[in-house]
Amino acid sequence: MGSEEQTDQENIEQPAVETEESIVGEIVEDALKDEAEGETAASEEVDLQAALDAATTRADENWEKLLLAKAEVENIRRRTQKDIEKAHRFSVEKFAKEMLPVVDSLEMGLASVDAAEGDVVAIKEGMELTHKQLLASLEKSGVKQINPEGEGFNPDLHQAISMVPSPDHEPNTVIQVFQKGYTLNERLLRPAMVIVSQPQAPTETKKIDEQA
């Protein structure tokens, strides 16, 4: 009788022990799971922070590069503006230097008028020399004179102020230059004012009626 009661007691205590072990196992498993999830979350947080720090560093570097580029562009703009202003101020420097000998020649001609004592020939020669110097200086700067007398009329370079009949010239020929024209590097500055020969009217032929 005593042995049966002991066996029943053991059977009762065994399920109770198994239940406690199961609960403890679940608790431990949940704890391990929570710890693993915490480590994963912590790892993800560290990765995000590292990525954020790297992105912030790159943003700072790009901002510094932007500021440097902006400063360089501003320096280039200022240098370009100064070069443009300098070019505007001194664009006629070469032309002015070419004109100085012409001015000197004119001044010498004016000074020699009194010494010439009315020598018109000497004055004329001095003026002609000055005129040649002036034209040569203009050509060095790209300015060329248009003097189309005896040439065919060109509406791109000439402006006809009159047309007159001229049996000695072909039709549409410049027979007189009233005012000479000029070009600057092949671009028209002023057309030449010219008089052009008028085309001759066709000769009317009379038909004779032989049967009259």
Side-chain angles (χ1 to χ4, degrees):
M1 187 71 180
S3 60
E4 292 178 358
E5 291 178 357
Q6 184 177 359
T7 302
D8 293 338
Q9 186 176 359
E10 290 177 356
N11 293 333
I12 293 171
E13 291 177 354
Q14 185 175 359
V17 172
E18 291 178 355
T19 302
E20 291 178 357
E21 290 178 354
S22 177
I23 293 173
V24 171
E26 291 178 358
I27 292 173
V28 172
E29 185 179 354
D30 292 340
L32 292 174
K33 183 177 181 181
D34 293 340
E35 183 178 357
E37 291 177 353
E39 291 178 354
T40 303
S43 177
E44 292 178 354
E45 184 177 354
V46 171
D47 292 341
L48 289 175
Q49 184 63 40
L52 178 60
D53 293 341
T56 303
T57 302
R58 288 195 300 271
D60 293 340
E61 292 175 353
N62 291 334
W63 178 251
E64 291 178 358
K65 291 179 180 179
L66 176 62
L67 293 178
L68 291 174
K70 185 177 180 181
E72 184 64 23
V73 170
E74 183 65 20
N75 291 334
I76 293 174
R77 187 191 67 80
R78 290 177 180 176
R79 288 196 299 268
T80 303
Q81 185 65 28
K82 289 182 180 179
D83 291 340
I84 293 174
E85 292 176 357
K86 184 178 179 180
H88 286 168
R89 291 178 60 189
F90 300 102
S91 59
V92 296
E93 181 178 4
K94 181 180 178 181
F95 179 74
K97 288 182 178 180
E98 296 293 341
M99 291 295 102
L100 295 181
V102 179
V103 176
D104 294 339
S105 181
L106 286 173
E107 290 177 349
M108 292 175 61
L110 292 173
S112 64
V113 170
D114 296 334
E117 296 181 356
D119 189 351
V120 179
V121 176
I123 296 175
K124 181 181 178 182
E125 290 177 352
M127 292 182 65
E128 289 176 347
L129 177 61
T130 302
H131 183 252
K132 290 179 180 179
Q133 287 181 329
L134 178 58
L135 291 179
S137 298
L138 288 173
E139 286 189 3
K140 289 181 181 179
S141 298
V143 180
K144 293 184 178 181
Q145 189 181 78
I146 303 174
N147 185 15
E149 185 173 350
E151 300 176 1
F153 176 74
N154 184 352
D156 294 331
L157 300 175
H158 313 150
Q159 181 176 346
I161 59 176
S162 178
M163 297 187 70
V164 296
S166 176
D168 298 330
H169 297 85
E170 293 291 333
N172 292 322
T173 300
V174 176
I175 59 177
Q176 183 179 350
V177 178
F178 181 76
Q179 186 182 69
K180 296 171 184 176
Y182 292 90
T183 60
L184 173 61
N185 295 324
E186 306 302 329
R187 187 174 71 178
L188 184 66
L189 283 178
R190 187 182 74 185
M193 302 291 186
V194 298
I195 297 176
V196 184
S197 61
Q198 188 175 12
Q200 297 179 359
T203 304
E204 293 183 1
T205 58
K206 296 182 179 180
K207 295 181 179 181
I208 300 175
D209 188 0
E210 295 179 353
Q211 297 179 355

